[in-house]
Amino acid sequence: MLAAIVIREMEVTHSLTHLLTYLFIYLSTRSLTYSLTYSLIHSLTHSLTRSAGPATNATFTYPTGIAADASGKRASYRSHDSLTHSLFLDNLYFGEGYARIRKITASTGLMSTVAGMYNYGYSGDGGPATAALVAGPHGVNLDSAGNIYFADRENHVVRKVTVSTGIISTVAGVAVASTSGGYNGDNIQATSALLNVPHDVVLDDYGNLYISDRFNHRIRKVTVSTGVITTLIGDGTDSSTGDGASATSATVSGPCYNHFDSAGNFFISECNGNRIRKVVTVSTEIPTASPTYYPTLSPHSISVITTIAGNGSASDSGDGGAATSSTIKAPAGIVVDFSGNVYFSDCFNHRVRKITVATGIISTYAGTGDANYTGDGVAASSTALYYPNGLGMDSAGTNE
């Protein structure tokens, strides 16, 4: 079985195969409009349906924030080394065109719109998500019921599409007409709170939301049982401080993406601070039933924060050495495999980089550093990427 890392590059969605590590990479990038070329989506759709799905001929404008559900449709493929492998292909969800959330259904290869109408704006709460207006959707994630949450970034809100009804609602933030959001405090209802360019949203096993409130320089939490918003990390200062101490006393610099690993540790990419931070979490409440959606521990208490990659300089160096001594530039999406290795998009260096958990060594997993699109069917480290951004991992999560 193969694990799949889903990368939102900023220009094109296609595939790279790196057979030494048995990870698949889907790429989506930053440019204007392009076509999905022959890709892993094509080949896997073909193996599932015996015909290329419409997604392979689709065009996208600025694809953003990508997530995979746990549908787990089994597929096989023959790689360039003539070996046959199998994996589980999940449905994919991503923001697109500044104003839509799209879905590619694994079993059919069909692509559909689940929210937005391609017109930039804010409207539609309480009605069908496909009749709503959104603006700059970014981080996309799903809860255990399959409901879709996304950061409606330019509207300064977080929204939800209820899968059973298709209805859209705002779960955090107040849509503001100005080009910038704001901050009006904590311990209030999330729907009354001001956010400032929320970039990503993730969920714990209990359905609580964790929001990268980027230009408020905070990580915010919405407690599902009360709807109340609080700040977990950051005080609004654009800086990176507090390593080795309580995360609640730390500052974060332009947090972009969040991620929970299977142990409940919390990872933050600081786009402004050029660092990857890790928060070791402690569960203070034992659930009465085992959660079925990772992380397995709910972070009711957040403990010590550390920097695991980047020294704060916006540059490109350090491969083969300690990740904490490396330089990175505008890091974005993060995923963690089941061995604890961390992968992140080194966006402005046009690479995906890996931190090996056993050694703390950083390396380039994908990309040559050239801002381009080349190299399908070769080792990921030999191909060019164009501003790789969001990352996601499929439901397999293990190597073959």
Side-chain angles (χ1 to χ4, degrees), residues 13-225:
T13 301
H14 60 93
S15 71
L16 301 171
T17 307
H18 192 306
L19 296 172
L20 295 178
T21 56
Y22 296 105
L23 291 175
F24 283 91
I25 298 175
Y26 298 81
L27 302 174
S28 53
T29 58
R30 185 191 266 180
S31 81
L32 296 179
T33 304
Y34 59 86
S35 295
L36 265 169
T37 59
Y38 184 84
S39 65
L40 184 60
I41 293 175
H42 181 290
S43 59
L44 291 180
T45 299
H46 188 275
S47 63
L48 287 168
T49 66
R50 300 188 181 277
S51 63
T56 60
N57 298 319
T59 60
F60 303 117
T61 303
Y62 193 68
T64 60
I66 193 163
D69 66 16
S71 59
K73 299 296 182 181
R74 193 173 185 86
S76 62
Y77 76 102
R78 184 171 294 274
S79 61
H80 66 270
D81 60 1
S82 298
L83 297 177
T84 299
H85 305 275
S86 63
L87 73 159
F88 287 98
L89 178 62
D90 299 325
N91 300 321
L92 299 179
Y93 301 80
F94 58 95
E96 188 266 328
Y98 294 99
R100 289 191 291 190
I101 301 294
R102 310 295 292 277
K103 174 183 178 181
I104 299 175
T105 301
S107 60
T108 64
L110 294 176
M111 187 169 63
S112 57
T113 297
V114 296
M117 297 191 299
Y118 210 76
N119 296 316
Y120 192 90
Y122 177 79
S123 70
D125 276 0
T130 52
L133 295 181
V134 302
H138 265 64
V140 181
N141 269 289
L142 285 74
D143 66 16
S144 58
N147 300 310
I148 303 163
Y149 294 80
F150 65 94
D152 194 348
R153 197 176 72 156
E154 305 306 321
N155 285 322
H156 309 288
V157 298
V158 173
R159 302 179 84 176
K160 173 185 177 181
V161 180
T162 302
V163 67
S164 60
T165 62
I167 298 299
I168 194 170
S169 57
T170 295
V171 295
V174 177
V176 292
S178 65
T179 57
S180 62
Y183 175 76
N184 62 346
D186 287 305
N187 299 304
I188 59 177
Q189 287 296 301
T191 50
S192 298
L194 293 178
L195 307 177
N196 195 347
V197 190
H199 203 92
D200 192 23
V201 56
V202 298
L203 297 93
D204 66 20
D205 248 340
Y206 298 82
N208 302 311
L209 305 180
Y210 300 78
I211 302 166
S212 293
D213 196 354
R214 181 175 180 180
F215 291 124
N216 280 327
H217 308 291
R218 289 175 164 89
I219 302 297
R220 315 284 292 273
K221 175 183 178 180
V222 179
T223 302
V224 66
S225 60

